[in-house]
Amino acid sequence: MDLETGVYQNHIKKASWRTILTLAYQSLGVVYGDLSTSPLYVYKSTFAEDIEQSETNEEIFGVLSFVFWTLTLVPLLKYVFIVLKADDNGEGGTFALYSLLCRHARLSSLPNCQSADEELSDYKKERADTALQSSFRARLKSTLERHRVLQRFLLVLALIGTCMVIGDGVLTPALSVFSAVSGLEFSMSEKHHKFVEVPIACLILIGLFALQHYGTHRVGFLFAPIVLTWLLCIGAIGVYNILHFNPSVYKALSPYYMYKFLRKTQKGGWMSLGGILLCITGSEAMFADLGHFSQLSIQIAFTSLVYPALVLAYMGQAAYISSHHNVGKNSQIGFYPSVPEKLRWPVLVIAVLAAVVGSQAIITGTFSIIKQCSALDCFPRVKIVHTSSKIHGQIYIPEINWILMVLCLAVTIGFRDTKRMGNASGFAVISVMLVTTCLMSLVIVLCWQQSVFVAIGFVAFFGTIEALYFSASLVKFPEGAWFPVALAFCFFLVMYVWHYGTIKKYDFEVQNKVSINWLLSLGPSLGFVRVRGIGLIHTDLVSGIPAIFSHFVTNLPAFHHVLIFLCIKSVPVPHVRPEERFLVGQIGPKEYRLYRCIVRYGYRDIHKDDMEFENDLMCSIAEFIRSGSTESNLSIEDAGKEDDKMTVVGTRSTHADGIQMSEDSPNVEMSPSVQREERSPPVAQRRKKVRFIVPESPKINTGVREELRELTEAREAGIAYILGNTYMKAKKGSSLMRRFAIDYGYEFLRRNSRTSSYAFSVPHASTLEVGMIYHV
C-alpha cells in the first residue's frame, strides 16, 4: 500500500463487519495495552498508605465501587461514546482537538496560513457558517479570533496536554514493567527480592527501548494475542475469585458503597482516590490512536471485551481481599496475591509481556504526538524514521527514544516502588483528561454547533469527576506527583520557546522581504548570467521574495536559468490529499522563468524521499505550464499583483492523464513530445536524459512547448538547493526574558536540532547554505 494514498483508507468507515472486527482485534494490542495492565497496581497503590482494610469490608467495597463507576463514566461514557466522535478527519488526540478548533475559529498558530488552505477537501469547515446562528456562538467565535491572549491560552492548554502525554510516555513503561516484575516477591525471599526487582525491570526497559528502531510492525502480530490472552486470564481469575471467596461482591457496584467509604475514611479515603485514578490510565490512548483504527472498531473492542474483563478482574481482587483480613495486613492487597499459587509463574510471564505491549503503545504514541508538534512548529526538528512501508503512522524518533529510556530508568531507580510511580502517573493522566474536557467544551459549541448548555453540562459532569481526582493527586505532589509537573515544564519550555522563535523569525522575513517589482526591474537575466540548471530556493514565505535572495543577487555573478521559490509548510489538517499537494504559480513574465511552489503537508503526513519529491515537483510545474495557467504574458507592472494567484496541482500519481516524467540513458531516443537538440558530449560527461511525456490531447502551443523544453534542459543540468541559515538575536533594548528566549533558548535548540534541509531530504552535495543574522 502506498503510504500517501493508503492513509485515506483509514477513513472509510462503512467497511464490512469482517474488516471492523479485524480492526477491533488489532486494536487490543495497540490501544488497550496500558489500560488492561492497570489491575496490576490499582489496589496496591490505593491501600499503600492512606487507608487500611478492615473486617467490615467497607474499604474494599468502597474502592471497588469507585473503580467500577470511574471505569463506566470516564473511559466508557466520556471517551467511547462522546470524545471519539470529535475526530479530526479520522485522527484523535489533544492536537487533533486543537487543530479542529483552529479551522473553525481561525486560531491557527501557523504563521504562513493561506485562504487557499481552507479549500482543502479535508478542511471540513462550514463555508458560510450557516449553522452558527446562536448569538453566543457567534460572539464566542469572534472573541477568540480577536484576542491573541485567548489564542495563546488555547495553544498553551494544548501544549500542556501534549507535555503530560509525553510524561505519561515516561511513567507508564516504568510503572507497568515494575508492577509486573513485582510478582517475583512471591517466588523468593524478601531479602533477595529487594535486590532483584529493580535490575530486572531496568533490563526489560533497556531491551524495550533498544528494539524500538525495528518498528512495531515486526512484532505487531504478537501484540493483540498477548493482550487478548491477558484479558481472558484476568477475567477468568476474577470469576474464580468471585465464586470461590465472595459471590456477593457484586453488591459493591452500588454507588451507595462510595458514600459509605468516604463517610468512614474521610480524608484518608479522599487521598486514596489518587490510587483509584490509575484504573483509567490509558483511556486517552483510545482517542489518540483513533487514526489507526475506526471509531466503531474501538467501541466494539472496549465494550465487548476490555470493559467486562477489567470489571471482573477488579471484582475478583476485591472478593479475595474481602476474605483475607489478617494475613500480613495490607500485604495481601494487590494483583498477585489473588492469583492461585499454581498459576503465578505463567501469569507473571503473561503480565510482563502485557506490560511491554502497553509500554510499546504509549511509546509509539509519544513518537506520534511529537511528530505532530514538530509539523506544527511546536517542537524542534528531529529525525523521523518510518518503520513500516505499509502501515501508516508507525514511526521511530531516535533522539526521543533514548531520552525516554534514560528518564524511564531514572524513574525506576529513583522511586523503586509503585506508590510514588502511581502518584506521578495518576497526576499526568488526570491532567491530560482535564485538558481534553476543556477543549471538548469548545468543540461542542464551535464545531458541533450544539447548545452552550450542552457544553456546560459536559464540563460540569465530567469536569467535576476529574477535578475530584485531580485534587487527590495534587495532595500527593511531594510523594511523586511533582515528577510529571517538572518533566512537563521542561518540555513545555522547549516547545514554547521553539514556537515563539519560529513565529518571530517568520515575522522578520515578512517585514523584510524583497519587493517583487524591484526584482523584476532587473530584467529577465535578473542582473547576472543565467546558466543551465534549476535553483530551488527554500523559504517559509508564501508570497514575496525572501530577504536571503538579495544576497545572491548582489554577490553571485551567475545563477540558474530556472528559479523556483519553494515553500514546504504544514496545514492544520491531519492529511492533505495527493491531488491537492502542490500550489504552483509564476512570478512575472514567462521569460523570467521564475516560479513559486508551495508544498502542503498535514501534521500526520509522510514526507517523501528526495528523488521522488524532486520528480513530483518537476511534474507539478510542467503540468502547471501545460495547463495554460501561464498563457497570458504579464507585464512587469502587473506581475506583483499576480503573485498570489496559485494553481492547485497534484502529484504524478493523481493525474495519470497529465504530464509524466522519465529518465533515459543517453542512448535512448527521446519522446517526440518534448525534445531538445544538443551536441553529444563525451561519454564520461553524459548525463541521463530527462523527458516529459505530454498527452496528445489537448494540443499545446509553441510557447508552452518551448517553456517545457527549457525546464527539461534545466532538470538535466541538475538541481541546486539554496537554503538560508539564519541566526536570530534579540534587538537592543529587549526585555531580559525575550533576550534569554531568543539569544540562548531558541539558538541552543536551533543548533542542536535538525537543519531545515532535513525536512525534505535535501542531498548534501546539491546544497548551498548562506547565513544571515536576524535582529528580532
Side-chain angles (χ1 to χ4, degrees):
M1 180 181 74
D2 178 45
L3 280 172
E4 187 162 323
T5 58
V7 295
Y8 301 104
Q9 296 179 12
N10 292 332
H11 305 304
I12 301 175
K13 303 302 181 185
K14 294 182 179 179
S16 65
W17 277 105
R18 182 177 179 180
T19 302
I20 291 172
L21 293 177
T22 301
L23 287 174
Y25 170 74
Q26 292 173 346
S27 70
L28 293 175
V30 177
V31 177
Y32 297 111
D34 184 13
L35 186 62
S36 64
T37 55
S38 56
L40 287 170
Y41 44 77
V42 168
Y43 283 128
K44 190 171 184 179
S45 298
T46 304
F47 287 91
E49 189 176 89
D50 301 311
I51 56 175
E52 288 188 1
Q53 170 66 356
S54 66
E55 294 186 5
T56 61
N57 288 328
E58 289 184 358
E59 293 83 3
I60 187 58
F61 286 173
V63 170
L64 174 59
S65 185
F66 265 105
V67 168
F68 172 76
W69 286 105
T70 303
L71 271 175
T72 301
L73 296 177
V74 179
L76 183 63
L77 181 59
K78 177 186 173 183
Y79 280 94
V80 171
F81 291 114
I82 300 177
V83 176
L84 283 183
K85 295 180 180 179
D87 64 298
D88 183 13
N89 294 297
E91 300 293 337
T94 305
F95 252 87
L97 290 177
Y98 178 69
S99 173
L100 205 59
L101 290 170
C102 286
R103 300 205 303 274
H104 283 78
R106 297 182 183 272
L107 305 176
S108 178
S109 59
L110 295 173
N112 50 5
C113 292
Q114 297 172 278
S115 58
D117 298 338
E118 298 183 13
E119 303 300 322
L120 290 169
S121 301
D122 290 336
Y123 209 85
K124 280 189 178 178
K125 181 186 175 187
E126 284 70 19
R127 301 297 176 189
D129 286 330
T130 55
L132 206 65
Q133 300 296 332
S134 167
S135 60
F136 176 82
R137 286 197 292 268
R139 288 199 306 270
L140 177 62
K141 180 175 180 290
S142 176
T143 302
L144 290 173
E145 291 177 346
R146 283 199 322 267
H147 295 85
R148 294 295 300 272
V149 174
L150 295 178
Q151 296 175 20
R152 290 196 188 100
F153 174 76
L154 283 179
L155 175 64
V156 168
L157 194 64
L159 291 181
I160 289 174
T162 302
C163 292
M164 285 298 179
V165 171
I166 297 173
D168 196 24
V170 172
L171 293 163
T172 293
L175 178 59
S176 299
V177 172
F178 190 86
S179 299
V181 172
S182 66
L184 292 172
E185 66 180 321
F186 297 97
S187 305
M188 60 181 66
S189 64
E190 184 177 352
K191 180 180 178 181
H192 291 98
H193 173 259
K194 187 186 301 183
F195 297 101
V196 169
E197 188 176 31
V198 173
I200 290 179
C202 290
L203 287 175
I204 293 175
L205 289 171
I206 291 172
L208 173 65
F209 284 99
L211 293 174
Q212 288 299 310
H213 69 281
Y214 289 109
T216 57
H217 69 286
R218 298 191 186 276
V219 290
F221 66 94
L222 290 175
F223 285 6
I226 288 173
V227 177
L228 177 61
T229 304
W230 169 252
L231 288 171
L232 294 176
C233 176
I234 61 175
I237 292 174
V239 171
Y240 169 80
N241 286 334
I242 292 171
L243 298 177
H244 190 264
F245 293 109
N246 192 348
S248 63
V249 72
Y250 70 90
K251 296 178 180 178
L253 302 183
S254 169
Y256 176 67
Y257 282 87
M258 291 192 288
Y259 166 73
K260 291 179 65 177
F261 171 75
L262 292 177
R263 185 183 62 181
K264 180 178 180 180
T265 56
Q266 297 183 357
K267 183 180 178 181
W270 168 65
M271 294 178 65
S272 70
L273 293 179
I276 297 173
L277 166 65
L278 297 177
C279 71
I280 53 176
T281 57
S283 299
E284 189 75 21
M286 286 190 287
F287 185 44
D289 292 326
L290 180 60
H292 303 298
F293 305 97
S294 66
Q295 183 185 133
L296 185 57
S297 64
I298 292 178
Q299 290 173 335
I300 289 174
F302 185 80
T303 55
S304 63
L305 181 61
V306 179
Y307 178 74
L310 289 176
V311 171
L312 288 174
Y314 287 118
M315 289 177 65
Q317 288 189 54
Y320 175 86
I321 295 170
S322 66
S323 60
H324 293 77
H325 302 121
N326 301 317
V327 185
K329 294 185 179 179
N330 286 352
S331 65
Q332 292 298 308
I333 295 178
F335 174 74
Y336 285 108
S338 66
V339 177
E341 190 171 350
K342 294 181 179 179
L343 297 178
R344 280 179 184 167
W345 273 107
V347 171
L348 173 63
V349 173
I350 299 174
V352 171
L353 292 174
V356 169
V357 171
S359 303
Q360 176 66 57
I362 193 65
I363 292 169
T364 304
T366 304
F367 291 159
S368 179
I369 201 167
I370 287 178
K371 179 183 181 294
Q372 294 179 28
C373 293
S374 182
L376 297 176
D377 289 331
C378 291
F379 200 87
R381 291 180 291 267
V382 290
K383 181 179 180 179
I384 297 175
V385 180
H386 296 275
T387 59
S388 174
S389 60
K390 296 182 179 180
I391 303 175
H392 174 74
Q394 291 191 356
I395 60 174
Y396 167 68
I397 305 178
E399 298 96 327
I400 301 301
N401 182 66
W402 303 123
I403 290 174
L404 290 179
M405 187 191 77
V406 171
L407 292 172
C408 267
L409 294 176
V411 168
T412 305
I413 297 171
F415 286 159
R416 292 174 174 260
D417 65 82
T418 55
K419 174 194 166 187
R420 287 183 291 177
M421 289 184 194
N423 292 338
S425 180
F427 188 87
V429 167
I430 199 62
S431 300
V432 176
M433 290 182 175
L434 280 170
V435 170
T436 300
T437 300
C438 295
L439 294 178
M440 270 298 301
S441 64
L442 292 176
V443 169
I444 290 171
V445 176
L446 296 176
C447 305
W448 292 355
Q449 286 86 40
Q450 297 296 318
S451 167
V452 64
F453 297 106
V454 176
I456 293 174
F458 180 86
V459 172
F461 184 73
F462 293 107
T464 300
I465 296 171
E466 290 161 3
L468 179 65
Y469 283 112
F470 181 79
S471 64
S473 296
L474 200 59
V475 175
K476 303 293 183 67
F477 190 84
E479 301 174 17
W482 60 268
F483 181 80
V485 176
L487 189 62
F489 176 78
C490 294
F491 275 100
F492 175 80
L493 203 60
V494 168
M495 295 166 76
Y496 195 81
V497 166
W498 180 263
H499 181 73
Y500 176 79
T502 303
I503 296 294
K504 290 300 178 184
K505 176 186 171 184
Y506 183 81
D507 290 343
F508 181 89
E509 290 181 348
V510 169
Q511 294 168 7
N512 294 275
K513 63 184 179 182
V514 178
S515 168
I516 295 177
N517 290 328
W518 170 82
L519 183 68
L520 299 180
S521 67
L522 299 176
S525 66
L526 300 181
F528 41 57
V529 179
R530 303 289 289 270
V531 298
R532 287 181 58 197
I534 295 176
L536 213 57
I537 303 166
H538 182 254
T539 175
D540 292 328
L541 298 177
V542 294
S543 64
I545 306 299
I548 195 77
F549 185 69
S550 63
H551 287 255
F552 298 112
V553 175
T554 55
N555 294 294
L556 293 180
F559 218 81
H560 302 86
H561 183 67
V562 176
L563 291 179
I564 302 173
F565 293 94
L566 177 67
C567 173
I568 299 179
K569 70 171 191 174
S570 294
V571 291
V573 294
H575 303 288
V576 175
R577 296 177 185 270
E579 58 267 25
E580 300 172 324
R581 177 75 67 212
F582 295 96
L583 280 175
V584 184
Q586 189 167 41
I587 302 175
K590 289 197 294 185
E591 60 266 20
Y592 282 69
R593 299 298 187 256
L594 296 177
Y595 305 95
R596 183 185 308 284
C597 185
I598 299 172
V599 190
R600 300 178 292 183
Y601 287 99
Y603 56 79
R604 288 185 66 89
D605 272 332
I606 297 171
H607 292 213
K608 292 187 174 182
D609 59 46
D610 55 330
M611 288 306 299
E612 192 174 3
F613 174 79
E614 286 180 4
N615 292 338
D616 277 346
L617 178 63
M618 292 300 104
C619 280
S620 68
I621 294 176
E623 184 66 27
F624 167 77
I625 295 171
R626 184 188 74 94
S627 67
S629 299
T630 64
E631 191 68 33
S632 59
N633 202 355
L634 300 175
S635 64
I636 293 178
E637 290 77 13
D638 296 332
K641 302 176 183 178
E642 297 291 323
D643 181 46
D644 292 333
K645 291 189 176 181
M646 310 287 286
T647 301
V648 178
V649 183
T651 59
R652 290 175 298 163
S653 61
T654 61
H655 49 81
D657 57 341
I659 290 183
Q660 300 293 321
M661 190 178 76
S662 68
E663 294 181 346
D664 301 323
S665 57
N667 59 346
V668 175
E669 198 171 309
M670 294 190 67
S671 168
S673 54
V674 180
Q675 297 186 16
R676 64 178 187 83
E677 297 177 2
E678 64 172 345
R679 295 179 181 179
S680 179
V683 176
Q685 298 178 3
R686 288 183 184 178
R687 301 169 180 259
K688 283 188 176 182
K689 291 184 178 180
V690 177
R691 63 175 179 172
F692 291 115
I693 304 173
V694 182
E696 295 181 0
S697 178
K699 298 293 184 181
I700 58 175
N701 60 34
T702 305
V704 173
R705 188 174 292 275
E706 176 66 18
E707 196 170 354
L708 288 173
R709 184 186 66 81
E710 291 185 10
L711 184 63
T712 303
E713 291 181 352
R715 178 66 181 88
E716 285 186 4
I719 297 178
Y721 291 81
I722 296 96
L723 308 173
N725 196 356
T726 56
Y727 299 84
M728 294 213 313
K729 287 195 172 184
K731 293 179 181 178
K732 290 184 178 180
S734 299
S735 64
L736 179 64
M737 185 173 294
R738 182 169 181 168
R739 289 203 307 270
F740 178 81
I742 297 296
D743 295 349
Y744 300 100
Y746 180 80
E747 277 303 303
F748 174 81
L749 294 174
R750 186 192 63 81
R751 288 195 302 267
N752 291 278
S753 63
R754 301 279 171 172
T755 60
S756 57
S757 63
Y758 179 80
F760 50 103
S761 304
V762 173
H764 295 289
S766 306
T767 303
L768 173 64
E769 292 193 33
V770 176
M772 282 189 68
I773 297 178
Y774 290 173
H775 293 276
V776 298

